[in-house]
Amino acid sequence: MKWTKGLKAVTAAALLTTVLSSVTAVSPASAAAKPTASINNVTASGEVLIKQGSTFVTLTDLKPLGNYVMKYDNSKKQVTIQGDHRTVILTAGSTRMEVNGVQKTLPAAPLLHKGKTMIPLRAVAQAFDADIDWNGSLKTAYINKADAVMLADLKSSDLATARNAAAKLPYSSQQKPELEMLPVEMQGVNYYFPKGNSNRFFLVDNDIAEYYEIQGGVKYLKWQGKLDYSAKAAANQNLFFLPPIQAEIGKQPDARNWTVAEFAFRYPSGVTSYRLLDRGKEWGEGYVELDNHSPGYKGEIVPIPEE
């Protein structure tokens, strides 16, 4: 087995982030008091402003969008962003933006706030070809742009490659999360995909289950449920592959007739166990010891030979 300490640490940090994000999300009142932003799954550390109907984020907080070089000319109050075969120039106070020499008009101008350059989200959408979503109930902006490799993997004919890309896509939500995560020592996560499918899936982390659908290069949270591991699921439960659900937000997808591909990843051992199951039986069980140094390594979701 070649499960490195580095990957363990990254996975543990990712899981901790998920836990903290879920716990933070249970305070709608605090979230409503101050706008926030998520940029490619990274929460903005700087201030997020809403002025005259436009939402602004700091230039620094846009760095997770990609490998861009950002320069600021203090004398001209001008920002130059280079990368991804483009050069973007924006000026504080001006609604004119230049993209590879072409002038574009913005509905709101960049501004200076407490020594920080604040960029309107519409400028982000135009300049970076990013996807912008606004969750009004949480006052949260989602600014997402999947990289070219991830988008290519998402279209791969190899099911495991496409599923790993789907799981890693940037995230957005129109839901109002209210469910508090209770750690239950899973030390990993479970994924559930419909057999032969990669564009929708369930993710289970501790006692919280989430359902995502892929649209473009973004995964959208459609449903969230709190699981009760101490109880037995009813025979006719729609989500037959999950423990009983004691609370939920959003609408459950109809999974009564699904055949499910399940992947149980545990980071202490670096192993993914898998199986196929439907309402009446399960088959194709196996496991893979992961090697994150392998040239073909794509993530913790692996092929199921019987699928």
Side-chain angles (χ1 to χ4, degrees):
M1 183 187 306
K2 299 180 181 179
W3 184 252
T4 67
K5 292 181 179 179
L7 187 54
K8 286 186 190 178
V10 170
T11 306
L15 291 173
L16 178 60
T17 300
T18 303
V19 172
L20 293 177
S21 298
S22 297
V23 172
T24 302
V26 303
S27 304
S30 63
K34 185 178 180 181
T36 60
S38 172
I39 302 94
N40 273 355
N41 299 337
V42 177
T43 301
S45 58
E47 191 170 359
V48 179
L49 299 179
I50 300 178
K51 287 185 174 291
Q52 298 179 341
S54 294
T55 304
F56 296 79
V57 296
T58 69
L59 178 65
T60 302
D61 279 325
L62 291 177
K63 288 183 178 180
L65 277 180
N67 187 26
Y68 298 101
V69 176
M70 302 182 182
K71 300 177 182 178
Y72 180 67
D73 186 328
N74 188 52
S75 62
K76 297 180 179 180
K77 308 300 181 188
Q78 194 172 78
V79 172
T80 301
I81 305 170
Q82 293 178 308
D84 197 20
H85 307 292
R86 73 190 70 192
T87 297
V88 179
I89 300 175
L90 305 103
T91 304
S94 172
T95 57
R96 304 296 292 175
M97 176 179 69
E98 184 178 302
V99 180
N100 287 344
V102 178
Q103 295 289 329
K104 297 179 180 291
T105 302
L106 300 171
L111 55 86
L112 298 177
H113 176 73
K114 297 180 181 179
K116 295 282 188 178
T117 304
M118 308 294 292
I119 307 297
L121 293 189
R122 292 299 177 187
V124 176
Q126 290 189 34
F128 297 94
D129 295 328
D131 181 88
I132 308 292
D133 288 304
W134 173 253
N135 186 322
S137 63
L138 293 178
K139 285 191 176 179
T140 298
Y142 297 93
I143 310 163
N144 296 315
K145 181 182 179 181
D147 63 42
V149 173
M150 193 176 296
L151 291 175
D153 283 351
L154 190 65
K155 298 176 182 178
S156 173
S157 59
D158 179 76
L159 200 52
T161 297
R163 284 170 169 169
N164 276 299
K168 295 173 185 175
L169 282 175
Y171 151 87
S172 185
S173 171
Q174 287 301 316
Q175 303 296 333
K176 184 178 179 181
E178 298 176 344
L179 304 179
E180 182 176 359
M181 181 180 291
L182 178 66
V184 293
E185 299 298 330
M186 278 183 64
Q187 296 185 319
V189 293
N190 286 14
Y191 299 95
Y192 300 87
F193 287 83
K195 181 182 177 184
N197 191 282
S198 62
N199 64 8
R200 58 192 190 275
F201 66 94
F202 287 84
L203 169 67
V204 173
D205 188 353
N206 288 278
D207 68 337
I208 298 296
E210 296 176 331
Y211 173 68
Y212 294 94
E213 292 183 354
I214 311 305
Q215 299 175 25
V218 180
K219 62 182 182 188
Y220 288 89
L221 178 66
K222 297 294 186 178
W223 173 86
Q224 188 183 55
K226 189 171 182 64
L227 306 176
D228 183 359
Y229 288 100
S230 65
K232 183 178 180 180
N236 62 347
Q237 179 173 293
N238 171 34
L239 306 179
F240 61 91
F241 46 90
L242 297 180
I245 298 156
Q246 55 182 322
E248 61 185 319
I249 57 171
K251 183 179 179 181
Q252 288 187 25
D254 186 353
R256 288 170 294 183
N257 297 319
W258 281 19
T259 295
V260 174
E262 178 191 63
F263 306 90
F265 167 68
R266 298 297 176 262
Y267 63 82
S269 59
V271 168
T272 292
S273 301
Y274 59 80
R275 62 176 176 164
L276 296 170
L277 66 156
D278 58 26
R279 192 173 292 277
K281 64 182 184 300
E282 57 185 67
W283 68 100
E285 296 96 335
Y287 70 91
V288 174
E289 296 182 349
L290 301 175
D291 177 5
N292 67 307
H293 286 161
S294 169
Y297 180 80
K298 292 292 185 178
E300 56 262 29
I301 300 170
V302 299
I304 299 179
E306 290 79 3
E307 191 177 10

